[in-house]
Amino acid sequence: QVQLVESGGGLVQAGGSLRLSCAASGRTISSFTMGWFRQAPGKEREFVAVINWNSDTTYYPESVKGRFTISRHNAKNTVYLQMNNLKPEDTAAYYCAATRRASWSLADFGSWGQGTQVTVSS
């Protein structure tokens, strides 16, 4: 099992940027597909971004495409989410997750962090 710790959340005005980090421990994530998900109050957790083990494939939903970028540094056992042009509807707790599958389905991710809060003011 890999342990994941997110950081970098905070309060930002609409149009601003944040960079989230996810530090892994317990084992190397170099063979894992890594993903970011988010959950707003009263809503289900939803997929935000995914990156495969060697960074040659990324995938985003339409709601964040062109604004969010996922990246990873396997030597540092860390995954990042750069979020630009943030909108109030991006307000949520953001979670990092890991899976051995080539997937962006929430159900396939078995290791999760505790989350970091992102709040975007209008």
Side-chain angles (χ1 to χ4, degrees), residues 51-84:
I51 187 167
N52 76 326
W53 69 276
N54 66 352
S55 303
D56 68 358
T57 301
T58 58
Y59 186 67
Y60 309 89
E62 287 298 321
S63 58
V64 307
K65 193 177 294 183
R67 300 189 298 121
F68 290 12
T69 303
I70 188 172
S71 61
R72 65 191 298 162
H73 194 308
N74 285 342
K76 294 183 178 180
N77 232 25
T78 303
V79 180
Y80 306 97
L81 184 68
Q82 178 67 43
M83 306 185 295
N84 299 327

Side-chain angles (χ1 to χ4, degrees), residues 13-91:
Q13 289 187 332
S17 298
L18 283 174
R19 188 195 196 202
L20 305 184
S21 297
C22 171
S25 62
R27 63 191 308 166
T28 177
I29 61 169
S30 59
S31 62
F32 285 79
T33 295
M34 300 299 296
W36 285 95
F37 295 79
R38 68 186 180 187
Q39 188 167 17
K43 295 187 177 181
E44 294 186 352
R45 193 168 296 189
E46 64 176 4
F47 160 68
V48 173
V50 69
I51 187 167
N52 76 326
W53 69 276
N54 66 352
S55 303
D56 68 358
T57 301
T58 58
Y59 186 67
Y60 309 89
E62 287 298 321
S63 58
V64 307
K65 193 177 294 183
R67 300 189 298 121
F68 290 12
T69 303
I70 188 172
S71 61
R72 65 191 298 162
H73 194 308
N74 285 342
K76 294 183 178 180
N77 232 25
T78 303
V79 180
Y80 306 97
L81 184 68
Q82 178 67 43
M83 306 185 295
N84 299 327
N85 190 22
L86 282 160
K87 304 176 181 180
E89 52 264 42
D90 295 318
T91 295

Side-chain angles (χ1 to χ4, degrees), residues 1-7 21-25 34-37 39 45 93-98 109-116:
Q1 194 83 354
V2 60
Q3 288 76 49
L4 304 171
V5 178
E6 303 92 338
S7 62
S21 297
C22 171
S25 62
M34 300 299 296
W36 285 95
F37 295 79
Q39 188 167 17
R45 193 168 296 189
Y94 282 71
Y95 299 88
C96 176
F109 285 78
S111 297
W112 292 84
Q114 293 301 305
T116 185

